[in-house]
Amino acid sequence: PSQERAPMNFKPALLAAALAGLAASALADPAVIYDMGGKFDKSFNQAAFDGAERWKKETGKSYLDVRHDAEWKVLVDDVVARHGKLDILVHSAGIAGKNAPLDEYDLDEWHRVIDIDLNGAFYVNRAVLPGMKARKKGAIVALSSIMGVAYGWDEHVHYSAAKSGVVGLVRGLAVELARDGIRVNGVAPGYIRTAQLLSKEHSLGPDADKAGAFIPMGRIGEPEDIADVILFLGSKGARYMTGQVVVVDGGLLVGRY
């Protein structure tokens, strides 16, 4: 992570992310990091894994599966009990799902992607909003994707559909919650070096760096490129921003499409 980055841990924050995901770089010491059942190598993001292990040891609880609505209220109540309040939510937990054409796509896998990427965002927002509305204060950042904004991805219709839903969630909630003092924004990453991107089964695979050839900035992104934008959106610097989905893709959309 950038040494120049202003820390976000000046406020109690809930980071909903996979251990190997890109947003786990955003918080140096968050209230909680949890896993949503990813199978990727924990060494890819050792800092996130260590943070989750610390929380597990301190609370005696296991990682949360984002698909279980009933667990969210328990988790949020626990965070508020230990930290007094919850000011910031960063929702990043998501999977790309397996590569396959829509007419051949497994129905259970379709539901799994939607449950994690879209329903998970609904569940966690529903859990944190009562407290934020009562305090008339809060910042929510949800992770979508360029595939949910303006970029079609063959054999990943399931992912594009889920991430488009996250964009709608951001925009609708931003209007709904503005008078409650709660800002809601999103980030739409391009090709970012995560374990998921480097998985051939789920995305580009080990040769993902070759995508830099058609990205104007000449490289795929690093997790810190996304984390810094998340930090900004959760900070006072973005106090007059809401309902925005910021594309962070090295110029891919404007340079190629």
Side-chain angles (χ1 to χ4, degrees), residues 149-182:
V149 174
Y151 185 103
W153 191 8
D154 59 314
E155 299 194 347
H156 277 85
V157 174
H158 49 284
Y159 182 72
S160 295
K163 289 302 186 178
S164 294
V166 172
V167 173
L169 187 73
V170 165
R171 291 172 176 167
L173 275 179
V175 175
E176 183 174 307
L177 299 173
R179 297 299 175 93
D180 289 304
I182 302 168

Side-chain angles (χ1 to χ4, degrees), residues 65-83:
D65 187 325
V66 304
R67 297 169 293 182
H68 296 166
D69 182 31
E71 296 182 23
W72 279 112
K73 187 176 186 302
V74 175
L75 173 63
V76 171
D77 287 348
D78 179 68
V79 172
V80 172
R82 290 188 289 118
H83 296 271

Side-chain angles (χ1 to χ4, degrees), residues 128-137 180 182:
V128 304
L129 285 179
M132 289 184 175
K133 291 173 77 171
R135 295 191 307 278
K136 294 288 184 179
K137 182 179 182 181
D180 289 304
I182 302 168

Side-chain angles (χ1 to χ4, degrees), residues 140-212:
I140 296 170
V141 183
L143 271 286
S144 179
S145 167
I146 58 171
M147 284 72 174
V149 174
Y151 185 103
W153 191 8
D154 59 314
E155 299 194 347
H156 277 85
V157 174
H158 49 284
Y159 182 72
S160 295
K163 289 302 186 178
S164 294
V166 172
V167 173
L169 187 73
V170 165
R171 291 172 176 167
L173 275 179
V175 175
E176 183 174 307
L177 299 173
R179 297 299 175 93
D180 289 304
I182 302 168
R183 298 183 299 103
V184 186
N185 291 291
V187 180
Y191 293 113
I192 308 298
R193 191 188 309 280
T194 64
Q196 186 156 255
L197 182 74
L198 300 175
S199 166
K200 186 66 175 177
E201 182 183 13
H202 299 88
S203 190
L204 300 185
D207 295 329
D209 277 301
K210 293 181 179 178

Side-chain angles (χ1 to χ4, degrees), residues 20 25 34 96 122 125 132 175 188 190:
S25 300
Y34 68 88
F122 165 67
N125 276 281
M132 289 184 175
V175 175

